[in-house]
Amino acid sequence: MNMKMCLLKAFFGLCVFHVAYGQDATTVPPVIIAGVCNMSLVTSIENNTPTILKKCVCNALHKDVDCSDIGITELPDLISFPKGIHIANFEGNKISSLNKDTFYNGRDIFELDVSYNRIDFVSSKAFNAFKYLKRLDLSHNRIWNLPTTAFEGLSNLRRLDLSFNDLITIFPALFSHLTELQELSLKSNPLQELESKQFEHLQKLEHLDLASTLLKVIPDHIFVFTPKLKFLNLANNHLTEVPTEAFHVLDHLKTLDLSGNSMQIIPPEAFSGMRGLVNLYLDRMPYLQRIDKFAFGDMVHLQELHCSYNFILFEIDPNAFVRKVNNERVSLDQLFLRQNALSTIPKTLLDWNEGIELHLRDNPLFCDCNIDWMINIKLKNNFQTHARCAGPGDYEGKFLSELKDSELTCGMHMSEVILIVCAIATAILVLVMIVAFLLWRRSYAGYTKPYFYAPKNKHINDIDYTGADDGI
């Protein structure tokens, strides 16, 4: 039985063949090639007794082999995939390791999924059998270390997912064989820091996910080697400043997510050089308080800004979207400012028109003359029906759609005026009553009644009194 016949028969089960060495064709013990289709696998171990329960299923119509969610605890060595099968799925099992001999032949496999397992060990050249693999999913495992030759042979790989593992350090050489890689996810690994040359071999990289990786600093020149990057996710890290210097070279970037970081201020020209950016996410930033002038001015093609759920963001400068060098204003399509601490929105923030969406739900808007422009303005969405006033008292809880711009003033409102007038009138009345009482009391106290006395040397009947006229 030759090798070709054996590999074809592997579609149905196990095939045994002999390997010869040298001219004398010395026979060695048989090598067992495990055909993955309908292959019986160890799915549980109880009392040290292997129990074979389920099998992988090949589907010629969909050109895939499905070994997912069948409780596999270990894979045999030298697994072979039949010709015409392009997708291999081992997701949701209990596999703990991938050795260099695990896979024997996977030349036709384009996608390999071993996510949601318990893999904590990946050997050197573990994927060497997959010469034409384009997508590899190793996410949601327990991988804490990868040898630099783990991906050797994957010169055609386009997408690599290493998210939700335990990787602390990744050496740049790990990616040296992945020269065609376009998408890389390292999300939810405790990396903490990156090297300046971390991605020096990934010059075709377009999509990079570094969310939730405990990063505090982004090296200044890290993206010099990824000039084609279009999507960058840095959400939920510990960045305290916008890494302006690192971003400066990303003039092809379309989407940037900085949500969940620890910036307090977005300073002027924070996104300098990012002229191609279309979508920017600054959501859920617990310390963000202020956005300064010229902060977004360089992003001349920005269409969407998501800046919501920043509970202490109280100020956006009127010139935040103005470009410093020529005072041109960025033209947005969508501005999301939900659940911030904004009491007002500057009228000159954008060139408002019917093509813009504004989302202001759950901000403590103070409904005075500073927001009267918002009452009748027509935007793409009817934002007035969702934005409420937090004050002053007369308007508290009312939607902007319930107000009239003529009612909004920056002085005191009628109820306040009436209250003050009543207070003053009451005070005057009380004062008048007090003054009247004091005058009356003084007048009463100053009146002297006549009094009588009897002189010593006169008869008792000769009465003198001070109130009579003399000589009478």
Side-chain angles (χ1 to χ4, degrees):
M1 186 182 298
N2 59 32
M3 174 73 76
K4 184 175 181 180
M5 289 292 294
C6 178
L7 293 179
L8 289 174
K9 290 184 179 181
F11 186 96
F12 300 101
L14 302 179
C15 178
V16 179
F17 68 95
H18 298 275
V19 179
Y21 293 90
Q23 295 180 352
D24 57 354
T26 303
T27 301
V28 297
V31 178
I32 299 177
I33 305 299
V36 73
C37 294
N38 296 314
M39 179 176 64
S40 297
L41 294 170
V42 175
T43 57
S44 65
I45 299 179
E46 296 179 1
N47 299 323
N48 296 322
T49 302
T51 302
I52 299 174
L53 297 176
K54 298 182 180 180
K55 298 179 180 181
C56 300
V57 178
C58 285
N59 188 318
L61 180 63
H62 295 97
K63 299 182 179 181
D64 69 344
V65 54
D66 187 3
C67 302
S68 64
D69 298 307
I70 58 175
I72 302 172
T73 56
E74 60 180 292
L75 291 173
D77 288 345
L78 302 176
I79 294 176
S80 178
F81 298 90
K83 188 175 181 179
I85 295 295
H86 298 320
I87 302 172
N89 187 0
F90 293 90
E91 176 189 358
N93 289 292
K94 301 176 183 178
I95 302 167
S96 60
S97 63
L98 296 175
N99 302 307
K100 66 178 181 178
D101 296 323
T102 299
F103 301 107
Y104 175 75
N105 177 26
R107 292 182 65 87
D108 286 345
I109 298 296
F110 297 151
E111 297 184 16
L112 176 63
D113 189 343
V114 286
S115 62
Y116 290 93
N117 278 279
R118 301 177 181 178
I119 299 171
D120 59 6
F121 174 77
V122 178
S123 126
S124 297
K125 304 181 181 180
F127 306 101
N128 207 33
F130 301 98
K131 300 297 183 182
Y132 299 102
L133 194 67
K134 294 184 178 180
R135 178 180 178 271
L136 175 59
D137 192 343
L138 287 163
S139 65
H140 295 88
N141 280 289
R142 303 174 181 177
I143 303 170
W144 59 276
N145 184 42
L146 284 169
T148 56
T149 55
F151 303 128
E152 185 174 321
L154 300 182
S155 58
N156 289 293
L157 196 68
R158 302 292 195 276
R159 298 172 61 188
L160 175 60
D161 193 344
L162 292 167
S163 62
F164 295 93
N165 279 286
D166 298 319
L167 292 166
I168 297 176
T169 301
I170 297 179
F171 296 104
L174 176 67
F175 305 124
S176 61
H177 305 282
L178 308 180
T179 54
E180 297 296 318
L181 196 68
Q182 296 175 358
E183 297 184 22
L184 173 62
S185 178
L186 296 170
K187 181 179 180 179
S188 294
N189 281 279
L191 295 175
Q192 299 190 42
E193 61 181 67
L194 299 171
E195 297 184 28
S196 293
K197 295 185 178 181
Q198 192 75 57
F199 308 115
E200 64 175 330
H201 303 289
L202 305 179
Q203 297 188 11
K204 294 186 178 180
L205 194 66
E206 296 180 0
H207 187 292
L208 178 59
D209 194 341
L210 292 168
S212 303
T213 48
L214 306 181
L215 295 174
K216 296 181 179 178
V217 176
I218 303 299
D220 286 349
H221 305 293
I222 191 171
F223 300 123
V224 170
F225 306 100
T226 58
K228 296 185 177 181
L229 202 61
K230 296 179 180 178
F231 175 93
L232 176 60
N233 189 356
L234 290 168
N236 302 317
N237 283 295
H238 301 305
L239 304 177
T240 57
E241 296 179 352
V242 177
T244 304
E245 186 63 31
F247 289 165
H248 186 73
V249 297
L250 296 177
D251 52 358
H252 288 89
L253 197 70
K254 302 298 182 184
T255 300
L256 173 63
D257 194 343
L258 288 171
S259 302
N261 278 283
S262 302
M263 295 86 165
Q264 297 183 25
I265 299 172
I266 306 298
E269 300 182 285
F271 302 96
S272 176
M274 305 186 74
R275 295 176 179 83
L277 201 69
V278 175
N279 306 300
L280 176 61
Y281 294 83
L282 299 173
D283 296 328
R284 302 180 308 280
M285 303 178 77
Y287 306 109
L288 184 61
Q289 301 178 35
R290 191 176 75 245
I291 297 175
D292 283 345
K293 60 182 180 180
F294 312 132
F296 307 124
D298 262 22
M299 296 182 287
V300 294
H301 293 102
L302 190 65
Q303 295 179 10
E304 295 183 21
L305 173 61
H306 296 257
C307 189
S308 299
Y309 317 113
N310 304 306
F311 301 124
I312 61 173
L313 173 62
F314 69 93
E315 181 183 355
I316 301 178
D317 191 276
N319 292 318
F321 292 93
V322 172
R323 193 176 182 190
K324 186 177 181 179
V325 294
N326 56 14
N327 288 324
E328 289 184 0
R329 199 175 301 274
V330 174
S331 179
L332 281 183
D333 291 336
Q334 294 178 303
L335 178 57
F336 293 84
L337 296 171
R338 296 171 177 165
Q339 291 191 35
N340 295 314
L342 298 169
S343 61
T344 187
I345 302 296
K347 183 178 181 179
T348 58
L349 186 65
L350 294 173
D351 293 327
W352 305 103
N353 58 70
E354 294 186 2
I356 298 176
E357 287 185 22
L358 175 62
H359 299 267
L360 277 177
R361 185 191 296 270
D362 298 325
N363 277 278
L365 297 176
F366 193 80
C367 295
D368 61 6
C369 65
N370 291 312
I371 68 161
D372 59 358
W373 66 272
M374 299 169 62
I375 303 302
N376 297 318
I377 192 171
K378 292 183 179 181
L379 302 184
K380 189 174 182 179
N381 66 318
N382 191 12
F383 76 96
Q384 292 94 339
T385 60
H386 302 289
R388 290 178 182 267
C389 299
D394 287 354
Y395 303 139
E396 184 177 354
K398 288 188 176 182
F399 291 104
L400 297 188
S401 57
E402 299 175 333
L403 304 180
K404 296 180 180 179
D405 54 359
S406 59
E407 298 174 340
L408 302 179
T409 66
C410 283
M412 291 181 293
H413 291 263
M414 184 59 64
S415 60
E416 295 173 327
V417 172
I418 294 174
L419 183 63
I420 292 174
V421 170
C422 291
I424 293 174
T426 302
I428 293 174
L429 181 60
V430 171
L431 182 61
V432 168
M433 292 176 66
I434 292 173
V435 171
F437 174 76
L438 292 176
L439 290 175
W440 173 82
R441 184 179 179 85
R442 181 179 179 184
S443 175
Y444 178 81
Y447 175 73
T448 305
K449 296 181 179 180
Y451 60 92
F452 304 89
Y453 66 92
K456 293 181 180 180
N457 297 324
K458 292 185 177 181
H459 296 288
I460 191 168
N461 293 327
D462 296 334
I463 299 173
D464 188 17
Y465 56 92
T466 58
D469 294 333
D470 293 339
I472 296 179

